[in-house]
Amino acid sequence: MRVLLLSVTAGFGHHATAKAVSDLLKERGAVVETIDVYEVINRFIKETIDKGYLFSSKHTKELYRLFYSLAENHGQSYWNGAFQLINLINDLGAKKFARCIDDFAPDAIVCTHIFAAQLVDELKRRDLVSVPAYGICTDYTLHPFWEDVPRIEYIIIASELLIHRCVQRGVERSRLLPLGIPVHPKFNLPVPREEAAAVLCIDPARPTILMMGGSMGYANNRKTIERLSLIKIPFQLLVVCGNNKKGYNQLLSQMEEYEGPCTIHPYGFVDNVDVMMSASDCIITKPGGLTVSEALARHLPMLLVDPIPGHEERNVEFLLNNGMALAVTKTFPVDEAVYNLFKNPGRIDQIREVMAMTAHPDATEQLVDFVLKNIPADPAELDRVPLPEESECQ
């Protein structure tokens, strides 16, 4: 069994999802290779997409929001600009990438980004690829252009609650697998709060807030800590700065001057978020699809800040409308949000109950089982394999 995972560097989530799926596939005995498609086609294009995404989502938010909305509402056919350029790049790089696929000879292909799926769709259109292909939407919405890759056999979405939206956007119900966003299987393993607190050397009985700003550490930790201090509750703050070394150093400097009621525990990039979530009462975070899915798996109430326009704003809508989060805004600042949450413990219990009904902590296991089970002995025999029982219409 040979499975090829295709991703695109545009933020951290797509690669993290690919790694979660890859690790479990290997555990199940599959031979796996993970490739950044534009690393193969053209490294300059790869760097341009990555840096362009980070710059536009951080510094030109209104323009990014406009482009996303137009793409979401009008689809691929609307564009004669940037996204048609992606199609041109995929068209020109198709034969080169087809040789790469032939060299690996996969039995199945899994795409964690729409650009990768567009490339595979083009290869299938040219009859250069015949094995089954899966696309993973890594947010709580259907990203633009997933409706424009009809040759991708299955599209994995974050929740059954998104089926109607996807069908309205033009994706056949038979292609939708509402298995959830794949996260590391460790998030499906419960860790008692006391045990997690012992690992982190914190007090398990003390109110604890996990603060995360995404893999690039976008959060304004100084301002957030100052606002939380106004509540006069002695919180333990687990502050994860990610790859933002400047933010981490600023946090260390703030700790030297800080005289508030909170105890601050600073971290850079970490690999034990599952433990931190198990030790916490809530998380203050950007609403990235992967972080949201991890928090859902841990039934951890969320306070959402600074969403990237487009897909992260859709995540906020999904979570708010389904009673699983609070949104921090200019008129509802973080201290008010935290105060409201902790002064109403019944609300925390209610949120955890809704999360338990909505989460897919076993998404990775479900997807890997489905992919391996449905690898055909002969690709020519592939027609339509049945959906798992969990994915039937609700």
Side-chain angles (χ1 to χ4, degrees), residues 74 98 140 146 263 265 354 358 373 386:
H74 297 283
Y140 287 76
W146 277 109
T263 302
H265 301 270
V354 174
T358 308
K373 175 182 176 182

Side-chain angles (χ1 to χ4, degrees), residues 107-352:
D107 298 303
I109 298 173
V110 179
C111 304
T112 65
H113 194 287
I114 180 56
F115 291 171
Q118 286 175 316
L119 176 58
V120 173
D121 187 75
E122 174 63 20
L123 293 175
K124 282 178 168 283
R125 186 186 70 81
R126 299 188 190 186
D127 293 325
L128 296 174
V129 168
S130 58
V131 299
Y134 302 78
I136 303 175
C137 292
T138 54
D139 285 290
Y140 287 76
T141 186
L142 185 73
H143 299 132
F145 311 138
W146 277 109
E147 66 271 28
D148 296 315
V149 287
R151 299 165 191 86
I152 301 298
E153 279 80 4
Y154 294 104
I155 298 176
I156 291 84
I157 56 176
S159 171
E160 295 85 354
L161 301 176
L162 295 170
I163 289 175
H164 176 72
R165 178 180 182 85
C166 294
V167 172
Q168 292 296 106
R169 289 271 298 277
V171 180
E172 301 91 338
R173 171 63 185 91
S174 60
R175 296 173 59 213
L176 295 170
L177 294 179
L179 304 178
I181 297 174
V183 298
H184 195 286
K186 65 185 178 182
F187 286 91
N188 197 22
L189 301 174
V191 178
R193 181 185 178 106
E194 292 75 14
E195 181 180 325
V199 171
L200 299 170
C201 299
I202 62 174
D203 182 356
R206 194 172 173 185
T208 304
I209 299 174
L210 175 59
M211 296 168 51
M212 297 179 64
S215 62
M216 297 308 295
Y218 287 151
N220 187 337
N221 293 319
R222 173 181 287 274
K223 182 177 179 180
T224 300
I225 292 170
E226 290 174 351
R227 300 285 316 200
L228 292 177
S229 298
L230 299 175
I231 306 175
K232 306 301 182 183
I233 295 177
F235 294 113
Q236 294 176 122
L237 305 178
L238 311 181
V239 186
V240 179
C241 298
N243 292 317
N244 189 339
K245 294 182 179 179
K246 180 180 178 182
Y248 179 76
N249 291 329
Q250 289 176 342
L251 180 60
L252 294 179
S253 298
Q254 181 181 7
M255 289 175 60
E256 294 177 0
E257 307 168 0
Y258 182 72
E259 297 179 353
C262 302
T263 302
I264 306 168
H265 301 270
Y267 302 88
F269 192 89
V270 299
D271 60 3
N272 64 339
V273 171
D274 59 314
V275 176
M276 292 182 169
M277 288 185 172
S278 296
S280 301
D281 296 290
C282 69
I283 180 172
I284 300 172
T285 181
K286 285 176 57 59
L290 191 71
T291 301
V292 165
S293 297
E294 293 169 349
L296 281 174
R298 279 292 189 251
H299 306 164
L300 183 64
M302 289 173 269
L303 288 83
L304 306 175
V305 297
D306 300 327
I308 292 173
H311 57 287
E312 289 193 359
E313 290 177 333
R314 301 299 177 269
N315 291 343
V316 172
E317 290 174 350
F318 179 88
L319 294 166
L320 290 183
N321 290 334
N322 288 288
M324 292 180 283
L326 287 77
V328 174
T329 65
K330 290 181 178 179
T331 55
F332 189 60
V334 67
D335 53 312
E336 287 191 39
V338 170
Y339 183 85
N340 273 260
L341 192 64
F342 278 85
K343 289 298 181 180
N344 185 3
R347 178 73 186 281
I348 294 179
D349 294 337
Q350 183 182 50
I351 290 175
R352 291 186 185 275

